[in-house]
Amino acid sequence: SQQGEEDPQALSIQEGENATMNCSYKTSINNLQWYRQNSGRGLVHLILIRSNEREKHSGRLRVTLDTSKKSSSLLITASRAADTASYFCATNAGNMLTFGGGTRLMVKP
Amino acid sequence: DVKVTQSSRYLVKRTGEKVFLECVQDMDHENMFWYRQDPGLGLRLIYFSYDVKMKEKGDIPEGYSVSREKKERFSLILESASTNQTSMYLCASSLIRRSNQPQHFGDGTRLSIL
């Protein structure tokens, strides 16, 4: 069953703009993770935020977590064409991850 | 860097065949996972394993089995392939049995069942 649901399903922006993707989930979690998938490849782990954290940064990535609203957002600042990929949130409520359906991001040069 | 290697990028098999998908990781990870990925459905967990000879069912185990005879290798078996098993299959591993460990993925096997 899908725990996380990403919004929007698809996003198209110009290079240099910021991209924001949202994730909502249904049950209590230990942590939430974001992954990236380039076309035809496996997923790559980007960032993990624990349930007691509200915000985390990694380079051009900023992740927020609001456990009261059961939602998270991933912000990519100053996007580049190379950021074109699908982005997935994954929630962890035990020993397994449950993935959402993903957001397809296209960054136009 | 952790490397997770799946034996085939593309595979075409016929209905009723027994199909083996192989996955090897090189970082002595305890946990290994098999997912399938379908458009609009995201990743769904088929089976996972925390140790050699140990396996647990995920969300969609029907029609699949797994084998973990060595720590670095986790095989997914389609006992009698059917067309609804056409999909992208992703293998992943993580370090130890703790909930805050990220998973490392292989590049996937795109399996077509004719």
PDB file of all heavy atoms in Angstrom, chain A residues 1-2 31 33 35 37 40-43 45 48 50 88 92 94-97 99, chain B residues 9 35 37 41-42 45 48 50 59 90 97 99-103 105-107:
ATOM      1  N   SER A   1       0.854  -1.190   0.000  1.00  0.00           N
ATOM      2  CA  SER A   1       0.000   0.000   0.000  1.00  0.00           C
ATOM      3  C   SER A   1       0.887   1.236   0.000  1.00  0.00           C
ATOM      4  O   SER A   1       1.959   1.228   0.597  1.00  0.00           O
ATOM      5  CB  SER A   1      -0.899   0.007   1.218  1.00  0.00           C
ATOM      6  OG  SER A   1      -0.126  -0.003   2.394  1.00  0.00           O
ATOM      7  N   GLN A   2       0.445   2.294  -0.711  1.00  0.00           N
ATOM      8  CA  GLN A   2       1.249   3.498  -0.786  1.00  0.00           C
ATOM      9  C   GLN A   2       1.004   4.323   0.455  1.00  0.00           C
ATOM     10  O   GLN A   2      -0.113   4.754   0.713  1.00  0.00           O
ATOM     11  CB  GLN A   2       0.894   4.296  -2.045  1.00  0.00           C
ATOM     12  CG  GLN A   2       1.585   3.756  -3.268  1.00  0.00           C
ATOM     13  CD  GLN A   2       1.294   4.576  -4.515  1.00  0.00           C
ATOM     14  OE1 GLN A   2       0.622   4.132  -5.405  1.00  0.00           O
ATOM     15  NE2 GLN A   2       1.767   5.792  -4.543  1.00  0.00           N
ATOM     16  N   ASN A  31      10.983   8.073  10.263  1.00  0.00           N
ATOM     17  CA  ASN A  31      11.684   9.046   9.449  1.00  0.00           C
ATOM     18  C   ASN A  31      11.075   9.077   8.060  1.00  0.00           C
ATOM     19  O   ASN A  31      10.248   8.221   7.708  1.00  0.00           O
ATOM     20  CB  ASN A  31      13.188   8.731   9.363  1.00  0.00           C
ATOM     21  CG  ASN A  31      13.486   7.409   8.680  1.00  0.00           C
ATOM     22  OD1 ASN A  31      13.213   7.227   7.495  1.00  0.00           O
ATOM     23  ND2 ASN A  31      14.045   6.472   9.431  1.00  0.00           N
ATOM     24  N   GLN A  33      12.283   9.750   3.919  1.00  0.00           N
ATOM     25  CA  GLN A  33      13.447   9.845   3.042  1.00  0.00           C
ATOM     26  C   GLN A  33      13.013  10.295   1.657  1.00  0.00           C
ATOM     27  O   GLN A  33      11.911   9.987   1.214  1.00  0.00           O
ATOM     28  CB  GLN A  33      14.142   8.479   2.959  1.00  0.00           C
ATOM     29  CG  GLN A  33      14.565   7.935   4.316  1.00  0.00           C
ATOM     30  CD  GLN A  33      15.204   6.569   4.257  1.00  0.00           C
ATOM     31  OE1 GLN A  33      15.807   6.187   3.242  1.00  0.00           O
ATOM     32  NE2 GLN A  33      15.111   5.803   5.339  1.00  0.00           N
ATOM     33  N   TYR A  35      14.222  10.224  -2.430  1.00  0.00           N
ATOM     34  CA  TYR A  35      15.067   9.551  -3.400  1.00  0.00           C
ATOM     35  C   TYR A  35      14.856  10.185  -4.768  1.00  0.00           C
ATOM     36  O   TYR A  35      13.788  10.736  -5.060  1.00  0.00           O
ATOM     37  CB  TYR A  35      14.721   8.054  -3.497  1.00  0.00           C
ATOM     38  CG  TYR A  35      15.131   7.235  -2.300  1.00  0.00           C
ATOM     39  CD1 TYR A  35      14.384   7.248  -1.131  1.00  0.00           C
ATOM     40  CD2 TYR A  35      16.270   6.430  -2.349  1.00  0.00           C
ATOM     41  CE1 TYR A  35      14.763   6.494  -0.029  1.00  0.00           C
ATOM     42  CE2 TYR A  35      16.652   5.664  -1.258  1.00  0.00           C
ATOM     43  CZ  TYR A  35      15.894   5.701  -0.106  1.00  0.00           C
ATOM     44  OH  TYR A  35      16.281   4.945   0.979  1.00  0.00           O
ATOM     45  N   GLN A  37      15.341   9.335  -9.052  1.00  0.00           N
ATOM     46  CA  GLN A  37      15.513   8.273 -10.042  1.00  0.00           C
ATOM     47  C   GLN A  37      15.644   8.901 -11.424  1.00  0.00           C
ATOM     48  O   GLN A  37      14.694   9.514 -11.927  1.00  0.00           O
ATOM     49  CB  GLN A  37      14.341   7.299 -10.025  1.00  0.00           C
ATOM     50  CG  GLN A  37      14.520   6.123 -10.974  1.00  0.00           C
ATOM     51  CD  GLN A  37      13.335   5.172 -10.943  1.00  0.00           C
ATOM     52  OE1 GLN A  37      12.192   5.578 -10.769  1.00  0.00           O
ATOM     53  NE2 GLN A  37      13.601   3.872 -11.120  1.00  0.00           N
ATOM     54  N   GLY A  40      15.266   5.194 -16.387  1.00  0.00           N
ATOM     55  CA  GLY A  40      15.848   3.886 -16.653  1.00  0.00           C
ATOM     56  C   GLY A  40      16.898   3.438 -15.657  1.00  0.00           C
ATOM     57  O   GLY A  40      17.583   2.438 -15.900  1.00  0.00           O
ATOM     58  N   ARG A  41      17.026   4.129 -14.557  1.00  0.00           N
ATOM     59  CA  ARG A  41      18.041   3.772 -13.557  1.00  0.00           C
ATOM     60  C   ARG A  41      17.397   3.463 -12.210  1.00  0.00           C
ATOM     61  O   ARG A  41      16.185   3.590 -12.036  1.00  0.00           O
ATOM     62  CB  ARG A  41      19.044   4.932 -13.390  1.00  0.00           C
ATOM     63  CG  ARG A  41      19.690   5.392 -14.667  1.00  0.00           C
ATOM     64  CD  ARG A  41      20.522   4.294 -15.312  1.00  0.00           C
ATOM     65  NE  ARG A  41      21.644   3.874 -14.507  1.00  0.00           N
ATOM     66  CZ  ARG A  41      22.848   4.439 -14.552  1.00  0.00           C
ATOM     67  NH1 ARG A  41      23.072   5.464 -15.347  1.00  0.00           N
ATOM     68  NH2 ARG A  41      23.842   3.972 -13.806  1.00  0.00           N
ATOM     69  N   GLY A  42      18.227   3.053 -11.256  1.00  0.00           N
ATOM     70  CA  GLY A  42      17.717   2.808  -9.912  1.00  0.00           C
ATOM     71  C   GLY A  42      17.556   4.097  -9.132  1.00  0.00           C
ATOM     72  O   GLY A  42      17.844   5.185  -9.627  1.00  0.00           O
ATOM     73  N   LEU A  43      17.067   3.968  -7.903  1.00  0.00           N
ATOM     74  CA  LEU A  43      16.865   5.131  -7.053  1.00  0.00           C
ATOM     75  C   LEU A  43      18.142   5.467  -6.299  1.00  0.00           C
ATOM     76  O   LEU A  43      18.900   4.575  -5.923  1.00  0.00           O
ATOM     77  CB  LEU A  43      15.735   4.859  -6.045  1.00  0.00           C
ATOM     78  CG  LEU A  43      14.313   5.043  -6.541  1.00  0.00           C
ATOM     79  CD1 LEU A  43      13.915   3.958  -7.509  1.00  0.00           C
ATOM     80  CD2 LEU A  43      13.346   5.092  -5.356  1.00  0.00           C
ATOM     81  N   HIS A  45      19.477   7.663  -2.944  1.00  0.00           N
ATOM     82  CA  HIS A  45      19.062   8.328  -1.716  1.00  0.00           C
ATOM     83  C   HIS A  45      19.578   9.766  -1.696  1.00  0.00           C
ATOM     84  O   HIS A  45      20.754  10.031  -1.971  1.00  0.00           O
ATOM     85  CB  HIS A  45      19.612   7.563  -0.514  1.00  0.00           C
ATOM     86  CG  HIS A  45      19.242   8.164   0.797  1.00  0.00           C
ATOM     87  ND1 HIS A  45      20.100   8.965   1.520  1.00  0.00           N
ATOM     88  CD2 HIS A  45      18.101   8.094   1.512  1.00  0.00           C
ATOM     89  CE1 HIS A  45      19.507   9.349   2.622  1.00  0.00           C
ATOM     90  NE2 HIS A  45      18.291   8.832   2.651  1.00  0.00           N
ATOM     91  N   LEU A  48      17.503  12.208   4.430  1.00  0.00           N
ATOM     92  CA  LEU A  48      16.639  11.578   5.429  1.00  0.00           C
ATOM     93  C   LEU A  48      16.343  12.603   6.502  1.00  0.00           C
ATOM     94  O   LEU A  48      17.251  13.305   6.963  1.00  0.00           O
ATOM     95  CB  LEU A  48      17.349  10.354   6.023  1.00  0.00           C
ATOM     96  CG  LEU A  48      16.648   9.525   7.102  1.00  0.00           C
ATOM     97  CD1 LEU A  48      17.153   8.088   7.063  1.00  0.00           C
ATOM     98  CD2 LEU A  48      16.832  10.103   8.499  1.00  0.00           C
ATOM     99  N   ARG A  50      14.385  12.882  10.274  1.00  0.00           N
ATOM    100  CA  ARG A  50      13.788  12.105  11.352  1.00  0.00           C
ATOM    101  C   ARG A  50      12.494  12.768  11.826  1.00  0.00           C
ATOM    102  O   ARG A  50      12.277  13.962  11.615  1.00  0.00           O
ATOM    103  CB  ARG A  50      14.772  11.964  12.509  1.00  0.00           C
ATOM    104  CG  ARG A  50      15.975  11.116  12.152  1.00  0.00           C
ATOM    105  CD  ARG A  50      16.922  10.939  13.327  1.00  0.00           C
ATOM    106  NE  ARG A  50      17.967   9.983  13.035  1.00  0.00           N
ATOM    107  CZ  ARG A  50      19.062  10.262  12.331  1.00  0.00           C
ATOM    108  NH1 ARG A  50      19.252  11.471  11.864  1.00  0.00           N
ATOM    109  NH2 ARG A  50      19.968   9.323  12.105  1.00  0.00           N
ATOM    110  N   PHE A  88      11.010  10.665  -5.307  1.00  0.00           N
ATOM    111  CA  PHE A  88      10.106   9.861  -4.488  1.00  0.00           C
ATOM    112  C   PHE A  88      10.323  10.156  -3.016  1.00  0.00           C
ATOM    113  O   PHE A  88      11.472  10.257  -2.567  1.00  0.00           O
ATOM    114  CB  PHE A  88      10.358   8.370  -4.706  1.00  0.00           C
ATOM    115  CG  PHE A  88      10.057   7.874  -6.091  1.00  0.00           C
ATOM    116  CD1 PHE A  88      11.010   7.958  -7.092  1.00  0.00           C
ATOM    117  CD2 PHE A  88       8.822   7.334  -6.384  1.00  0.00           C
ATOM    118  CE1 PHE A  88      10.735   7.500  -8.378  1.00  0.00           C
ATOM    119  CE2 PHE A  88       8.533   6.868  -7.661  1.00  0.00           C
ATOM    120  CZ  PHE A  88       9.491   6.960  -8.650  1.00  0.00           C
ATOM    121  N   ASN A  92       9.154   5.620   6.695  1.00  0.00           N
ATOM    122  CA  ASN A  92       9.635   4.481   7.455  1.00  0.00           C
ATOM    123  C   ASN A  92       8.907   4.437   8.784  1.00  0.00           C
ATOM    124  O   ASN A  92       9.046   5.334   9.600  1.00  0.00           O
ATOM    125  CB  ASN A  92      11.136   4.616   7.667  1.00  0.00           C
ATOM    126  CG  ASN A  92      11.723   3.387   8.297  1.00  0.00           C
ATOM    127  OD1 ASN A  92      11.378   3.045   9.426  1.00  0.00           O
ATOM    128  ND2 ASN A  92      12.568   2.691   7.571  1.00  0.00           N
ATOM    129  N   GLY A  94       8.809   1.387  10.581  1.00  0.00           N
ATOM    130  CA  GLY A  94       9.218   0.106  11.152  1.00  0.00           C
ATOM    131  C   GLY A  94      10.514  -0.280  10.507  1.00  0.00           C
ATOM    132  O   GLY A  94      11.459   0.494  10.479  1.00  0.00           O
ATOM    133  N   ASN A  95      10.569  -1.450   9.927  1.00  0.00           N
ATOM    134  CA  ASN A  95      11.791  -1.896   9.275  1.00  0.00           C
ATOM    135  C   ASN A  95      11.738  -1.768   7.766  1.00  0.00           C
ATOM    136  O   ASN A  95      12.697  -2.105   7.087  1.00  0.00           O
ATOM    137  CB  ASN A  95      12.072  -3.352   9.645  1.00  0.00           C
ATOM    138  CG  ASN A  95      12.445  -3.484  11.094  1.00  0.00           C
ATOM    139  OD1 ASN A  95      13.212  -2.693  11.608  1.00  0.00           O
ATOM    140  ND2 ASN A  95      11.879  -4.471  11.760  1.00  0.00           N
ATOM    141  N   MET A  96      10.609  -1.288   7.230  1.00  0.00           N
ATOM    142  CA  MET A  96      10.476  -1.206   5.783  1.00  0.00           C
ATOM    143  C   MET A  96      10.191   0.227   5.362  1.00  0.00           C
ATOM    144  O   MET A  96       9.685   1.029   6.132  1.00  0.00           O
ATOM    145  CB  MET A  96       9.330  -2.103   5.319  1.00  0.00           C
ATOM    146  CG  MET A  96       9.579  -3.576   5.527  1.00  0.00           C
ATOM    147  SD  MET A  96       8.254  -4.566   4.841  1.00  0.00           S
ATOM    148  CE  MET A  96       6.912  -4.137   5.937  1.00  0.00           C
ATOM    149  N   LEU A  97      10.517   0.504   4.120  1.00  0.00           N
ATOM    150  CA  LEU A  97      10.160   1.780   3.515  1.00  0.00           C
ATOM    151  C   LEU A  97       8.922   1.595   2.655  1.00  0.00           C
ATOM    152  O   LEU A  97       8.771   0.561   1.994  1.00  0.00           O
ATOM    153  CB  LEU A  97      11.293   2.289   2.630  1.00  0.00           C
ATOM    154  CG  LEU A  97      12.547   2.817   3.304  1.00  0.00           C
ATOM    155  CD1 LEU A  97      13.552   3.252   2.248  1.00  0.00           C
ATOM    156  CD2 LEU A  97      12.213   3.963   4.232  1.00  0.00           C
ATOM    157  N   PHE A  99       7.034   3.630  -0.431  1.00  0.00           N
ATOM    158  CA  PHE A  99       7.285   4.698  -1.389  1.00  0.00           C
ATOM    159  C   PHE A  99       5.994   5.269  -1.944  1.00  0.00           C
ATOM    160  O   PHE A  99       5.004   4.567  -2.140  1.00  0.00           O
ATOM    161  CB  PHE A  99       8.120   4.167  -2.557  1.00  0.00           C
ATOM    162  CG  PHE A  99       9.545   3.885  -2.197  1.00  0.00           C
ATOM    163  CD1 PHE A  99       9.899   2.680  -1.609  1.00  0.00           C
ATOM    164  CD2 PHE A  99      10.542   4.820  -2.443  1.00  0.00           C
ATOM    165  CE1 PHE A  99      11.212   2.415  -1.271  1.00  0.00           C
ATOM    166  CE2 PHE A  99      11.854   4.560  -2.107  1.00  0.00           C
ATOM    167  CZ  PHE A  99      12.192   3.359  -1.518  1.00  0.00           C
TER     168      PHE A  99
ATOM    169  N   ARG B   9      19.927  -6.029 -17.357  1.00  0.00           N
ATOM    170  CA  ARG B   9      19.164  -4.785 -17.472  1.00  0.00           C
ATOM    171  C   ARG B   9      17.835  -5.027 -18.163  1.00  0.00           C
ATOM    172  O   ARG B   9      16.830  -4.401 -17.828  1.00  0.00           O
ATOM    173  CB  ARG B   9      19.966  -3.740 -18.263  1.00  0.00           C
ATOM    174  CG  ARG B   9      21.191  -3.194 -17.553  1.00  0.00           C
ATOM    175  CD  ARG B   9      20.834  -2.398 -16.298  1.00  0.00           C
ATOM    176  NE  ARG B   9      19.861  -1.349 -16.523  1.00  0.00           N
ATOM    177  CZ  ARG B   9      20.159  -0.129 -16.941  1.00  0.00           C
ATOM    178  NH1 ARG B   9      21.408   0.198 -17.214  1.00  0.00           N
ATOM    179  NH2 ARG B   9      19.222   0.777 -17.110  1.00  0.00           N
ATOM    180  N   TYR B  35      11.822  -4.995  -5.105  1.00  0.00           N
ATOM    181  CA  TYR B  35      10.648  -4.194  -5.416  1.00  0.00           C
ATOM    182  C   TYR B  35      10.282  -4.409  -6.880  1.00  0.00           C
ATOM    183  O   TYR B  35      11.123  -4.717  -7.708  1.00  0.00           O
ATOM    184  CB  TYR B  35      10.947  -2.700  -5.253  1.00  0.00           C
ATOM    185  CG  TYR B  35      11.284  -2.243  -3.858  1.00  0.00           C
ATOM    186  CD1 TYR B  35      12.604  -2.242  -3.403  1.00  0.00           C
ATOM    187  CD2 TYR B  35      10.289  -1.762  -3.008  1.00  0.00           C
ATOM    188  CE1 TYR B  35      12.923  -1.787  -2.127  1.00  0.00           C
ATOM    189  CE2 TYR B  35      10.599  -1.300  -1.730  1.00  0.00           C
ATOM    190  CZ  TYR B  35      11.917  -1.310  -1.308  1.00  0.00           C
ATOM    191  OH  TYR B  35      12.230  -0.854  -0.052  1.00  0.00           O
ATOM    192  N   GLN B  37       8.365  -1.939  -9.886  1.00  0.00           N
ATOM    193  CA  GLN B  37       7.953  -0.565 -10.132  1.00  0.00           C
ATOM    194  C   GLN B  37       7.093  -0.523 -11.380  1.00  0.00           C
ATOM    195  O   GLN B  37       7.530  -0.919 -12.463  1.00  0.00           O
ATOM    196  CB  GLN B  37       9.174   0.349 -10.313  1.00  0.00           C
ATOM    197  CG  GLN B  37       8.822   1.808 -10.505  1.00  0.00           C
ATOM    198  CD  GLN B  37      10.049   2.686 -10.619  1.00  0.00           C
ATOM    199  OE1 GLN B  37      11.134   2.245 -10.963  1.00  0.00           O
ATOM    200  NE2 GLN B  37       9.886   3.952 -10.277  1.00  0.00           N
ATOM    201  N   LEU B  41       1.950   3.327  -9.874  1.00  0.00           N
ATOM    202  CA  LEU B  41       1.859   2.538  -8.638  1.00  0.00           C
ATOM    203  C   LEU B  41       3.087   2.687  -7.762  1.00  0.00           C
ATOM    204  O   LEU B  41       3.145   2.142  -6.649  1.00  0.00           O
ATOM    205  CB  LEU B  41       1.648   1.057  -8.966  1.00  0.00           C
ATOM    206  CG  LEU B  41       0.350   0.717  -9.684  1.00  0.00           C
ATOM    207  CD1 LEU B  41       0.301  -0.766 -10.022  1.00  0.00           C
ATOM    208  CD2 LEU B  41      -0.865   1.098  -8.829  1.00  0.00           C
ATOM    209  N   GLY B  42       4.099   3.371  -8.241  1.00  0.00           N
ATOM    210  CA  GLY B  42       5.297   3.555  -7.440  1.00  0.00           C
ATOM    211  C   GLY B  42       6.052   2.257  -7.257  1.00  0.00           C
ATOM    212  O   GLY B  42       5.945   1.330  -8.061  1.00  0.00           O
ATOM    213  N   LEU B  45       6.949  -3.401  -2.479  1.00  0.00           N
ATOM    214  CA  LEU B  45       7.890  -4.372  -1.924  1.00  0.00           C
ATOM    215  C   LEU B  45       7.372  -5.792  -2.127  1.00  0.00           C
ATOM    216  O   LEU B  45       6.246  -6.115  -1.742  1.00  0.00           O
ATOM    217  CB  LEU B  45       8.095  -4.090  -0.439  1.00  0.00           C
ATOM    218  CG  LEU B  45       9.069  -4.982   0.298  1.00  0.00           C
ATOM    219  CD1 LEU B  45      10.484  -4.813  -0.250  1.00  0.00           C
ATOM    220  CD2 LEU B  45       9.047  -4.653   1.795  1.00  0.00           C
ATOM    221  N   PHE B  48      11.747  -9.234   1.331  1.00  0.00           N
ATOM    222  CA  PHE B  48      12.997  -8.726   1.868  1.00  0.00           C
ATOM    223  C   PHE B  48      13.648  -9.760   2.769  1.00  0.00           C
ATOM    224  O   PHE B  48      13.020 -10.759   3.147  1.00  0.00           O
ATOM    225  CB  PHE B  48      12.805  -7.387   2.578  1.00  0.00           C
ATOM    226  CG  PHE B  48      11.859  -7.427   3.750  1.00  0.00           C
ATOM    227  CD1 PHE B  48      12.327  -7.457   5.055  1.00  0.00           C
ATOM    228  CD2 PHE B  48      10.485  -7.383   3.545  1.00  0.00           C
ATOM    229  CE1 PHE B  48      11.465  -7.457   6.124  1.00  0.00           C
ATOM    230  CE2 PHE B  48       9.599  -7.384   4.625  1.00  0.00           C
ATOM    231  CZ  PHE B  48      10.094  -7.425   5.917  1.00  0.00           C
ATOM    232  N   TYR B  50      16.648 -10.113   6.060  1.00  0.00           N
ATOM    233  CA  TYR B  50      17.543  -9.498   7.035  1.00  0.00           C
ATOM    234  C   TYR B  50      18.801 -10.318   7.290  1.00  0.00           C
ATOM    235  O   TYR B  50      19.705  -9.852   7.985  1.00  0.00           O
ATOM    236  CB  TYR B  50      16.837  -9.308   8.382  1.00  0.00           C
ATOM    237  CG  TYR B  50      15.750  -8.271   8.356  1.00  0.00           C
ATOM    238  CD1 TYR B  50      14.512  -8.526   8.910  1.00  0.00           C
ATOM    239  CD2 TYR B  50      15.968  -7.038   7.761  1.00  0.00           C
ATOM    240  CE1 TYR B  50      13.514  -7.573   8.882  1.00  0.00           C
ATOM    241  CE2 TYR B  50      14.974  -6.076   7.734  1.00  0.00           C
ATOM    242  CZ  TYR B  50      13.750  -6.350   8.295  1.00  0.00           C
ATOM    243  OH  TYR B  50      12.769  -5.405   8.264  1.00  0.00           O
ATOM    244  N   ASP B  59       4.588  -6.507   0.401  1.00  0.00           N
ATOM    245  CA  ASP B  59       3.186  -6.211   0.102  1.00  0.00           C
ATOM    246  C   ASP B  59       2.589  -7.096  -0.984  1.00  0.00           C
ATOM    247  O   ASP B  59       1.387  -7.342  -0.994  1.00  0.00           O
ATOM    248  CB  ASP B  59       3.046  -4.744  -0.322  1.00  0.00           C
ATOM    249  CG  ASP B  59       3.386  -3.794   0.809  1.00  0.00           C
ATOM    250  OD1 ASP B  59       3.049  -4.111   1.969  1.00  0.00           O
ATOM    251  OD2 ASP B  59       3.993  -2.734   0.534  1.00  0.00           O
ATOM    252  N   LEU B  90      13.479  -3.860  -9.096  1.00  0.00           N
ATOM    253  CA  LEU B  90      14.594  -3.161  -8.453  1.00  0.00           C
ATOM    254  C   LEU B  90      15.018  -3.896  -7.192  1.00  0.00           C
ATOM    255  O   LEU B  90      14.185  -4.254  -6.356  1.00  0.00           O
ATOM    256  CB  LEU B  90      14.186  -1.736  -8.088  1.00  0.00           C
ATOM    257  CG  LEU B  90      13.946  -0.787  -9.262  1.00  0.00           C
ATOM    258  CD1 LEU B  90      13.180   0.439  -8.817  1.00  0.00           C
ATOM    259  CD2 LEU B  90      15.264  -0.381  -9.895  1.00  0.00           C
ATOM    260  N   ARG B  97      19.731  -3.753  10.410  1.00  0.00           N
ATOM    261  CA  ARG B  97      18.289  -3.783  10.643  1.00  0.00           C
ATOM    262  C   ARG B  97      17.879  -2.630  11.550  1.00  0.00           C
ATOM    263  O   ARG B  97      17.532  -2.811  12.697  1.00  0.00           O
ATOM    264  CB  ARG B  97      17.908  -5.127  11.265  1.00  0.00           C
ATOM    265  CG  ARG B  97      16.411  -5.357  11.294  1.00  0.00           C
ATOM    266  CD  ARG B  97      16.090  -6.749  11.798  1.00  0.00           C
ATOM    267  NE  ARG B  97      14.653  -6.970  11.841  1.00  0.00           N
ATOM    268  CZ  ARG B  97      14.093  -8.134  12.127  1.00  0.00           C
ATOM    269  NH1 ARG B  97      14.849  -9.170  12.403  1.00  0.00           N
ATOM    270  NH2 ARG B  97      12.791  -8.257  12.143  1.00  0.00           N
ATOM    271  N   SER B  99      15.802   1.332  11.343  1.00  0.00           N
ATOM    272  CA  SER B  99      14.856   2.040  10.495  1.00  0.00           C
ATOM    273  C   SER B  99      15.427   3.298   9.856  1.00  0.00           C
ATOM    274  O   SER B  99      14.821   3.844   8.956  1.00  0.00           O
ATOM    275  CB  SER B  99      13.616   2.413  11.298  1.00  0.00           C
ATOM    276  OG  SER B  99      13.964   3.314  12.331  1.00  0.00           O
ATOM    277  N   ASN B 100      16.579   3.787  10.294  1.00  0.00           N
ATOM    278  CA  ASN B 100      17.056   5.048   9.728  1.00  0.00           C
ATOM    279  C   ASN B 100      18.140   4.844   8.675  1.00  0.00           C
ATOM    280  O   ASN B 100      18.877   5.764   8.371  1.00  0.00           O
ATOM    281  CB  ASN B 100      17.591   5.964  10.839  1.00  0.00           C
ATOM    282  CG  ASN B 100      18.776   5.328  11.549  1.00  0.00           C
ATOM    283  OD1 ASN B 100      19.012   4.138  11.422  1.00  0.00           O
ATOM    284  ND2 ASN B 100      19.521   6.117  12.278  1.00  0.00           N
ATOM    285  N   GLN B 101      18.218   3.663   8.137  1.00  0.00           N
ATOM    286  CA  GLN B 101      19.247   3.408   7.138  1.00  0.00           C
ATOM    287  C   GLN B 101      18.705   3.639   5.736  1.00  0.00           C
ATOM    288  O   GLN B 101      17.665   3.097   5.366  1.00  0.00           O
ATOM    289  CB  GLN B 101      19.729   1.962   7.253  1.00  0.00           C
ATOM    290  CG  GLN B 101      20.394   1.650   8.571  1.00  0.00           C
ATOM    291  CD  GLN B 101      21.645   2.458   8.770  1.00  0.00           C
ATOM    292  OE1 GLN B 101      22.462   2.568   7.865  1.00  0.00           O
ATOM    293  NE2 GLN B 101      21.807   3.041   9.956  1.00  0.00           N
ATOM    294  N   PRO B 102      19.384   4.430   4.916  1.00  0.00           N
ATOM    295  CA  PRO B 102      18.948   4.583   3.532  1.00  0.00           C
ATOM    296  C   PRO B 102      19.180   3.288   2.758  1.00  0.00           C
ATOM    297  O   PRO B 102      20.032   2.479   3.117  1.00  0.00           O
ATOM    298  CB  PRO B 102      19.845   5.704   2.991  1.00  0.00           C
ATOM    299  CG  PRO B 102      21.041   5.704   3.878  1.00  0.00           C
ATOM    300  CD  PRO B 102      20.572   5.245   5.218  1.00  0.00           C
ATOM    301  N   GLN B 103      18.413   3.108   1.703  1.00  0.00           N
ATOM    302  CA  GLN B 103      18.577   1.936   0.859  1.00  0.00           C
ATOM    303  C   GLN B 103      19.377   2.318  -0.393  1.00  0.00           C
ATOM    304  O   GLN B 103      19.244   3.414  -0.913  1.00  0.00           O
ATOM    305  CB  GLN B 103      17.210   1.366   0.484  1.00  0.00           C
ATOM    306  CG  GLN B 103      16.483   0.788   1.689  1.00  0.00           C
ATOM    307  CD  GLN B 103      15.188   0.096   1.337  1.00  0.00           C
ATOM    308  OE1 GLN B 103      14.877  -0.154   0.174  1.00  0.00           O
ATOM    309  NE2 GLN B 103      14.410  -0.241   2.366  1.00  0.00           N
ATOM    310  N   PHE B 105      20.185   1.190  -4.274  1.00  0.00           N
ATOM    311  CA  PHE B 105      19.483   0.464  -5.328  1.00  0.00           C
ATOM    312  C   PHE B 105      20.401   0.076  -6.479  1.00  0.00           C
ATOM    313  O   PHE B 105      21.354   0.791  -6.817  1.00  0.00           O
ATOM    314  CB  PHE B 105      18.351   1.327  -5.894  1.00  0.00           C
ATOM    315  CG  PHE B 105      17.145   1.397  -5.005  1.00  0.00           C
ATOM    316  CD1 PHE B 105      17.119   2.259  -3.927  1.00  0.00           C
ATOM    317  CD2 PHE B 105      16.035   0.601  -5.265  1.00  0.00           C
ATOM    318  CE1 PHE B 105      15.999   2.325  -3.095  1.00  0.00           C
ATOM    319  CE2 PHE B 105      14.912   0.670  -4.446  1.00  0.00           C
ATOM    320  CZ  PHE B 105      14.903   1.524  -3.360  1.00  0.00           C
ATOM    321  N   GLY B 106      20.066  -1.055  -7.095  1.00  0.00           N
ATOM    322  CA  GLY B 106      20.644  -1.397  -8.380  1.00  0.00           C
ATOM    323  C   GLY B 106      19.942  -0.630  -9.487  1.00  0.00           C
ATOM    324  O   GLY B 106      18.981   0.117  -9.237  1.00  0.00           O
ATOM    325  N   ASP B 107      20.395  -0.828 -10.722  1.00  0.00           N
ATOM    326  CA  ASP B 107      19.836  -0.099 -11.862  1.00  0.00           C
ATOM    327  C   ASP B 107      18.563  -0.719 -12.420  1.00  0.00           C
ATOM    328  O   ASP B 107      17.972  -0.171 -13.354  1.00  0.00           O
ATOM    329  CB  ASP B 107      20.875   0.022 -12.973  1.00  0.00           C
ATOM    330  CG  ASP B 107      21.815   1.185 -12.726  1.00  0.00           C
ATOM    331  OD1 ASP B 107      21.444   2.087 -11.953  1.00  0.00           O
ATOM    332  OD2 ASP B 107      22.920   1.193 -13.299  1.00  0.00           O
TER     333      ASP B 107
END
